[in-house]
Amino acid sequence: MEVEFGRDGAVLAPTGRRRIGIEGLGCDPTPRPFLDHLAATARTDGGRLAVSATATPFAAGQRVELRIDARARQSLYCWVVAPDETAFVALPVRGNPASLAPLAAGDVRRYPRGYGLDEIVAGEPFENLFACFGVAGGLPPELAERWLAAAPGADGDARLLQPPEVLDLVEKIRATPGVTEATARIVVR
């Protein structure tokens, strides 16, 4: 650790580097895979939003489907995140009013069929994370616009989001007041 004391942009006193042992700090410094980190740090509230895969794992040839339980009125913003920190926006779908409408408390939907999307059939083995953000009043306009720009629509597929954009969106959406998250593993074996 290194600490510097400064005033008006000038360094007044550096402390030099000091080694600090992490033993006994009560934390696990072991790096964990990105999907584990994203799920573990999610601001979950099962009383407001839950997401689950209909099978664990899915078999090749099986229809991939996820159940979304809204337990409070909220707008949904869902994506599929890969282990390499890339992602595709899944919901809402541009031009699909049903996917843009907030879910009411007690609504249960299936993704993708419940949103009028084509079914997804499991093929090659993979593991991704289906993650949803629920926001009572929707995302702030600029953030919602960024999200929808990457979303799938009648005119085309979702745009692949690269790691810097994924991390930026996670940070900004998690900073939105009243946001809750739910995640589910999509595992194909």
Side-chain angles (χ1 to χ4, degrees), residues 14 19 22 24 32 57 80 86 96 120 165 167 181 186:
R19 184 182 175 336
I22 57 171
R32 58 182 160 194
V80 178
T86 60
N96 180 336
I120 301 166
E165 191 170 10
L167 297 174
E181 297 176 62
I186 303 172

Side-chain angles (χ1 to χ4, degrees), residues 115-135:
Y115 291 92
L117 301 170
D118 293 336
E119 67 180 27
I120 301 166
V121 178
E124 296 296 318
F126 70 87
E127 184 170 342
N128 287 336
L129 188 69
F130 186 80
C132 293
F133 299 97
V135 186

